[in-house]
Amino acid sequence: MAKLAFLGLGVMGYPMAGHLKKAGHEVTVYNRSGAKAQKWAAEFGGASAPTPREAAKGAEFVMACVGNDDDLRSVCLGADGAFAGMESGAVFVDHTTVSAKVTRELYAAADEKQISFVDAPISGGQAGAENGKLSIMCGGDQGAYDRAEPVMAAYARICRRIGESGAGQMTKMCNQIAIAGLVQGLSEALHFAEKSGLDGRAVVEVISQGAAGSWQMSNRYETMIDDHFEHGFAVDWMRKDLGICLDTADENGASLPVTALVDQFYKDVQKMGGGRWDTSSLFKRLRALG
Ligand SMILES: NC(=O)c1ccc[n+]([C@@H]2O[C@H](COP(=O)([O-])OP(=O)(O)OC[C@H]3O[C@@H](n4cnc5c(N)ncnc54)[C@H](OP(=O)(O)O)[C@@H]3O)[C@@H](O)[C@H]2O)c1
C-alpha cells in the first residue's frame, strides 16, 4: 500500500480518490474550495491538506484531476504547488484532460526535480469514476507507468501506456473526436424519430442492438428523450477538449471538419445557458430549432 495525494475533488476526482482509500492506500486530498476536501475526509476517513504542496509532501504518488491547462499548472508549479512538496523518485499522475503541450512542459519541469510525470486522461464519465471502471490512456516513461499502474487499478477497467509523454493526451483527443460526431448523429436520429411521430424508446431498443449501437446511445437516450441534461460531462469541458483537438490538428495537419462543426453546435448550447449540461444536450439544441 502506498502513501498518496489526490488533487481536485470534482465530479471525477472525488469518487476516484475514494476508490484509492477503499483499496487501502494512505490518501491525503487537496481541493481548491476546502469544504469539499473536508467532506471527502469525513466520508472516507483520509486526511486533507490546505495546499497541493502540503498534500504531496512525502507521497510516493500524487494524482490530479482538475480542469484545464492553467489549472494543472497552478496545482503543480509555484511555492505551494505539488512539485515543491514532492521528493525525488515520486510519480505525478495527471488525470485531467489537457493539451499535450502542457503535459510535455510539466514532464520537463518534473524531470528537473527527478520526479516522474505520467499523463493519464480518463474516459467513462461520472458513472465510470463512481463504479471504478474508467478507461485510462497513458503517456510517459515505462518505469514510472509500471509503478503507477497498480495504483490506478483501483478505478480502472482498462489502463494502457500508449507511448512517451503526451501520448495519453493525444489518445484522449482521438476519443473526443470520435464522440463529437457520434453524439450529434445520435441527436439527429432521435430528432428525426420525434419529427416522424415514432416512439424514440422503441426505436433505440432495436437499433442499439445493431450496427448503430454505442455507449452514448445505450447510456444517454432515456435522459435525452426526457429532456434531462443536469448530469454527466459538461459542455464547457467538451469545448475545452475540442479546442485542444482543433489546435493540435492545425499543428499536425489532420482534417477534422465534423469536429469543428460540432464544436460550433456546442457553442450554441452554451448560449442557451447549457455550459454545465451533459454533452448529449446537442439534442436539446435540435429540439429548440423546432
Ligand atoms: N465529468 C466527466 O464525465 C469527465 C470525463 C472524462 C474526463 N473529464 C475531465 O476531467 C477533468 C475534471 O472534470 P470534472 O468533471 O471532475 O470537473 P469538475 O467537477 O468541474 O471539477 C474540477 C475540479 O478541479 C478543481 N480546480 C479547477 N480549477 C482549479 C485551479 N485553478 N486550482 C485548483 N483546483 C482547481 C475544482 O476545484 P473546486 O471544487 O474548488 O472548483 C474541482 O475540484 C476535466 O479536465 C475534464 O475534462 C471529465
Side-chain angles (χ1 to χ4, degrees):
M1 290 303 121
K3 184 167 160 44
L4 313 176
F6 202 107
L7 317 176
L9 302 173
V11 167
M12 303 299 279
Y14 193 99
M16 290 166 77
H19 286 297
L20 293 173
K21 185 71 182 67
K22 283 189 244 167
H25 298 294
E26 190 186 326
V27 184
T28 302
V29 296
Y30 159 79
N31 196 68
R32 179 178 53 180
S33 42
K36 247 190 245 174
Q38 279 142 28
K39 180 172 177 279
W40 185 93
E43 185 176 335
F44 294 99
S48 70
T51 64
R53 178 188 181 145
E54 285 172 70
K57 204 161 178 254
E60 208 179 320
F61 297 92
V62 178
M63 339 295 278
C65 190
V66 291
N68 59 25
D69 284 22
D70 285 342
D71 302 333
L72 182 63
R73 280 192 191 96
S74 80
V75 295
C76 288
L77 305 173
D80 283 332
F83 290 0
M86 291 170 74
E87 284 159 21
S88 137
V91 181
F92 191 98
V93 178
D94 176 35
H95 292 302
T96 318
T97 305
V98 291
S99 65
K101 186 169 167 272
V102 76
T103 298
R104 291 174 188 137
E105 175 189 312
L106 291 172
Y107 172 93
D111 195 46
E112 276 179 21
K113 293 173 172 276
Q114 292 166 319
I115 299 167
S116 298
F117 188 99
V118 174
D119 48 309
I122 48 184
S123 177
Q126 183 175 357
E130 288 170 356
N131 301 331
K133 295 211 179 327
L134 292 168
S135 296
I136 312 182
M137 43 217 101
C138 301
D141 299 344
Q142 185 75 53
Y145 172 80
D146 289 344
R147 286 170 58 204
E149 194 196 62
V151 180
M152 293 188 276
Y155 40 69
R157 175 161 59 193
I158 182 167
C159 187
R160 287 277 184 281
R161 177 182 177 272
I162 310 294
E164 300 303 325
S165 180
Q169 294 296 349
M170 298 301 289
T171 305
K172 175 72 183 182
M173 291 176 215
C174 299
N175 187 77
Q176 301 307 74
I177 291 163
I179 286 178
L182 198 149
V183 177
Q184 176 64 15
L186 171 60
S187 300
E188 289 185 17
L190 288 177
H191 178 62
F192 184 86
E194 209 161 78
K195 285 286 187 190
S196 313
L198 298 174
D199 174 356
R201 285 181 171 76
V203 169
V204 171
E205 267 170 38
V206 182
I207 69 170
S208 62
Q209 305 297 318
S214 67
W215 184 98
Q216 296 287 339
M217 184 179 282
S218 301
N219 290 281
R220 290 290 185 260
Y221 81 98
E222 285 189 295
T223 43
M224 290 166 82
I225 291 169
D226 292 343
D227 199 40
H228 175 53
F229 300 104
E230 309 277 349
H231 63 105
F233 182 52
V235 165
D236 287 344
W237 284 151
M238 187 58 164
R239 286 217 71 213
K240 178 250 309 174
D241 294 358
L242 296 183
I244 293 170
C245 296
L246 294 167
D247 286 350
T248 308
D250 278 345
E251 290 160 19
N252 70 13
S255 174
L256 303 179
V258 173
T259 307
L261 184 62
V262 174
D263 181 52
Q264 293 304 300
F265 294 160
Y266 280 126
K267 191 175 182 178
D268 294 342
V269 175
Q270 286 176 317
K271 284 186 197 152
M272 291 165 67
R276 287 298 294 186
W277 293 345
D278 182 65
T279 44
S280 56
S281 53
L282 285 175
F283 181 50
K284 195 173 175 76
R285 174 184 170 278
L286 290 177
R287 267 182 173 160
L289 293 175

